[in-house]
Amino acid sequence: MRLSCADEMLLFNGCPGVVGLAAVFAGEPPDVDRVRARVAERWTGLERMNCLLDRPAGSSGTARRMPFGRAGGARWVVPGPFDPDVHVVLARHKLDDLWARSVDRPLADGAPPWRLHVVPDAVYGGFALALVAQHVLLDGRSLATLMRSLMDSPSAVRAAARPAPLSRSGLRAAGRELRVMTAAGQALPSPGRTYSSVAVSALSAQTVRAARRQPADGRGSTLNELLVGAVAGAVRDQYGPVRRWRQRDEPVFTAVPCDLRTRADPDELGNALTVVRVPLPVDVEDPVARLRACRTALAAVPARAAVHATVLFPAAEAARRTGPWVTGLLTNRGRHSCFAATATTAVKWPGGPSTFQGHALVRTVGLPPLHHPGTASFALTQAGDAVTLTVVCNLRPDDARRLADAVVTEFETWARTPTPSL
C-alpha cells in the first residue's frame, strides 16, 4: 500500500516523529489483560493499526537516517493482526517519565509502530492509558479517535468542517500560499548544542475561562488562539523581542496543524492534515495586543488550509509519481528551524464525559512531536474543564519547563486583565 504524500513527508523529514495522547482516569488501574481484550476487540479490525512500514533494501535504521533517494520505495503492508501482548504493555514509569523517554526514540521496527501503555501512577488521576505512535502512522486527530473508541460508551464523532472551497481566484491563492510556505523565517537564538526536554502543566479551569474573554472588545478567544498568543508571549519572555536577536528582517513562524477530514470521513485514521505557517507577534509588547494579532493571523488559516487540500496536495501527489526526488524537495524546506521556530496545536476530547471500564476520564495529556534542533512544540488538550499543556523542546536543557511556565503566565495575565462590565 503506497504511503500518502503526508505520510512520506513525515517519514523523511529527519525527525524522530513520535506523537502521543494519554487519557487519565480516576481510581485504581484495571488489569492489563482486560485492557488488551478491549483493545483487541475495538482495534483489530482497523487496517491502519495493523500496518507495518516496509522499507526498501539498504534503508535499515530509523526514518531520520533513510536517504531521500529511497523515499519512493517505502510502503505499508499488513502481514497480519497486531499482537495485543506486544502492543499493550504495563508502563514501568510515570506518565511524565514515559513522555520524556518516548519523545526522541522512534519505535522499534518489526511491528506496527504504536504502543498503548497502561500507566498505574498518573498525576491528576489514578491511572492513564497512553497511546504512543510514529507520526507517519497516525496524526493527533487519529489518536483522539482511537482513544475515544476504547471508552465504555463511544460517543459519536462530531463531523469535521469541510475545507472552504476555492474561489475563482484559487490559482492566485495557491500562488500566495506557496510564497508564504517558502518564505524565510527566523530561527530561535541558537543555544549551540541542543537537548530534548518535555514539560507538562495543568491550567486552572477558572484561569482558562477568564482568559477566553479576551480581547474584551470582541467575541472572546478560542483555545487555539489563546495557545498561539501565549506561545508568542513565552518566546518574548525567554528570548526578548525579535529585534534584539534576529540576524535578518524576517518573522518568527509557528506551524499550525490543520485537520483536512471532511463530513464524509470524520473518523479516518492516518495523516489527513496539513501545516499552515503563522507569524508570531513576538515584538508586540502588550499581551492582549499580541492575542489580537494572533487572532487576525489565524482567521485566514481555514481558507489557507483549503488551498493545501484542493490545489497543493493534489499537485504534490501527482508530481511525486514522477520520482522519489519530489519528496526530498517537499521536505527540504522544513528541515531548518527557521521554517517554523515553534509548532502549536490544541485538541479537545471528542464527545462528552467518558469512562473506561467504569473509571471516569478526568484529563487528557498530549505529546507533540520533537522537531529539528532549535525548535519547540506546544500541545494544549482539553477534556471537560481540565486543560493541560505539554511542551517539547529541542533547545537548552529544561527549556520545556521554562517555556511552559511562561505560557501559563500569559494565561494568568489575560485572566487578570479587566473586562468592561456588561
Side-chain angles (χ1 to χ4, degrees):
M1 184 188 346
R2 185 180 176 87
L3 273 66
S4 70
C5 184
D7 292 347
E8 278 197 354
M9 292 177 69
L10 288 165
L11 179 61
F12 300 107
N13 70 357
C15 298
V18 177
V19 292
L21 179 66
V24 182
F25 300 90
E28 294 297 319
D31 182 81
V32 68
D33 286 333
R34 294 185 62 194
V35 180
R36 287 170 176 152
R38 175 70 62 88
V39 169
E41 172 194 350
R42 304 284 175 87
W43 291 358
T44 300
L46 303 175
E47 183 181 57
R48 192 77 176 185
M49 302 306 285
N50 299 299
C51 281
L52 184 65
L53 192 60
D54 182 32
R55 307 181 183 207
S59 62
S60 60
T62 63
R64 54 184 166 183
R65 293 198 299 266
M66 192 181 296
F68 282 132
R70 296 191 180 274
R75 62 191 182 100
W76 294 115
V77 295
V78 182
F82 66 83
D83 183 353
D85 290 341
V86 172
H87 279 84
V88 182
V89 296
L90 184 64
R92 298 192 300 269
H93 310 283
K94 295 184 178 181
L95 182 57
D96 287 5
D97 294 331
L98 174 63
W99 274 181
R101 289 172 175 270
S102 300
V103 68
D104 61 350
R105 301 178 188 179
L107 275 68
D109 291 333
W114 64 269
R115 301 292 185 273
L116 183 70
H117 299 265
V118 181
V119 186
D121 184 10
V123 180
Y124 314 119
F127 70 95
L129 300 179
L131 178 58
V132 176
Q134 290 295 142
H135 203 340
V136 65
L137 181 76
L138 300 167
D139 59 16
R141 173 66 178 272
S142 297
L143 298 180
T145 296
L146 287 162
M147 294 298 286
R148 180 196 55 79
S149 73
L150 291 180
M151 299 302 103
D152 295 335
S153 300
S155 57
V157 177
R158 290 178 294 179
R162 185 180 298 274
L166 283 179
S167 64
R168 294 177 181 176
S169 58
L171 291 179
R172 291 197 297 273
R176 288 194 299 270
E177 183 61 19
L178 278 173
R179 286 193 292 273
V180 174
M181 290 174 64
T182 56
Q186 179 72 356
L188 296 177
S190 175
R193 183 180 177 185
T194 60
Y195 305 81
S196 64
S197 60
V198 182
V200 178
S201 298
L203 281 79
S204 157
Q206 181 179 359
T207 297
V208 174
R209 281 194 296 269
R212 293 188 73 161
R213 301 190 187 108
Q214 300 294 339
D217 56 353
R219 54 164 171 78
S221 297
T222 66
L223 203 63
N224 194 42
E225 290 167 343
L226 289 174
L227 176 60
V228 176
V231 168
V235 170
R236 180 186 177 91
D237 176 78
Q238 291 296 302
Y239 301 103
V242 179
R243 59 180 176 271
R244 295 182 185 173
W245 45 267
R246 65 185 173 191
Q247 299 176 351
R248 302 174 302 276
D249 187 17
E250 295 160 349
V252 179
F253 286 103
T254 191
V256 180
C258 300
D259 186 12
L260 298 182
R261 293 167 179 83
T262 69
R263 297 180 186 277
D265 55 5
D267 283 339
E268 178 187 353
L269 299 180
N271 287 295
L273 81 165
T274 191
V275 171
V276 175
R277 296 170 84 200
V278 174
L280 290 174
V282 178
D283 280 340
V284 177
E285 184 174 358
D286 179 67
V288 175
R290 282 196 298 269
L291 176 58
R292 188 177 286 109
C294 289
R295 287 179 44 164
T296 299
L298 288 168
V301 165
R304 292 175 59 190
V307 172
H308 291 218
T310 58
V311 178
L312 300 183
F313 269 27
E317 285 284 1
R320 74 189 182 109
R321 296 180 186 278
T322 65
W325 60 269
V326 173
T327 297
L329 180 65
L330 292 171
T331 57
N332 184 59
R333 188 63 181 167
R335 282 178 164 266
H336 303 283
S337 59
C338 61
F339 176 81
T342 69
T344 47
T345 183
V347 180
K348 290 185 178 181
W349 179 257
S354 299
T355 60
F356 179 82
Q357 297 182 351
H359 299 279
L361 175 73
V362 296
R363 186 175 296 273
T364 56
V365 183
L367 177 66
L370 182 71
H371 290 297
H372 301 282
T375 59
S377 296
F378 300 78
L380 202 61
T381 58
Q382 180 177 7
D385 288 334
V387 178
T388 312
L389 170 72
T390 306
V391 182
V392 170
C393 286
N394 201 345
L395 291 161
R396 299 170 299 185
D398 300 324
D399 258 3
R401 173 47 57 199
R402 286 188 281 265
L403 285 167
D405 291 345
V407 167
V408 173
T409 297
E410 287 293 295
F411 273 79
E412 293 171 345
T413 299
W414 292 324
R416 292 192 303 267
T417 303
T419 56
S421 301
L422 296 177

